Amino acid sequence: GLRDNECPFDSVNLLLEALGRPQEALSVVHVVGSKGKGGTSSILSGILSRSGLRVGTYTSPHVVSLGERVLIDGEDCDDGRLLEHFRDHEAEVLKVQGQTGWRLSHFEALTALSLKYFADRQVDLAVVEAGLGGVKDATNVFSNARGLRLVVVTPLELEHTDVLGERLEDIVA
């Protein structure tokens, strides 16, 4: 998500750099839009997993546990294992926060650390659901040249206008 219309790209990209650029090791389907991202991500992940691919899925929000947001082949990641992974990379998070003076949000840090988790587990494909803000979103770190395979756009509507703007063009920009 975004705070006060600030763009966290520098901090998120610096964290990804400190983590070894895990997003570049992944083939990615990026699911963006206003409505239906979670369901679309779940259906795509299920189809791809059943076709024989090892699929990581990153969604939000979670209902009960953090592991619901980070799945491999449809199975929630064990919270203990996920927490251990995050603690293993705490130094990188703190270093980037010290360099930038920007305290990464929960979503920003979780996004970068989840991409690292998928890369470390060598998933064949990661289905990544965007959070809030299109181009300004912390999940918008993929490029066509570095693993972005498909962008799925679910229905768009005016939402979060206090943060994103009052026109559809502002929301998708």
Side-chain angles (χ1 to χ4, degrees), residues 36-105:
K37 294 182 304 227
T40 300
S41 296
S42 179
I43 291 166
L44 279 172
S45 294
I47 291 168
L48 294 164
S49 184
R50 285 179 187 83
S51 75
L53 295 174
R54 183 168 164 82
V55 179
T57 309
Y58 178 66
T59 65
S60 62
H62 62 277
V63 177
V64 177
S65 75
L66 200 55
E68 296 171 31
R69 296 173 81 152
V70 184
L71 299 92
I72 295 182
D73 290 333
E75 297 292 323
D76 295 0
C77 289
D78 176 73
D79 284 344
R81 178 177 286 159
L82 205 52
L83 183 56
E84 182 180 329
H85 171 75
F86 295 163
R87 285 187 179 142
D88 287 346
H89 299 291
E90 182 178 15
E92 290 96 328
V93 173
L94 295 174
K95 176 183 171 192
V96 168
Q97 290 182 155
Q99 285 176 330
T100 63
W102 176 270
R103 187 170 192 281
L104 291 159
S105 72

Side-chain angles (χ1 to χ4, degrees), residues 13-22 89 92-93 95-96 99:
N13 283 321
L14 284 171
L15 178 54
L16 288 166
E17 179 76 28
L19 294 170
R21 293 187 275 193
H89 299 291
E92 290 96 328
V93 173
K95 176 183 171 192
V96 168
Q99 285 176 330

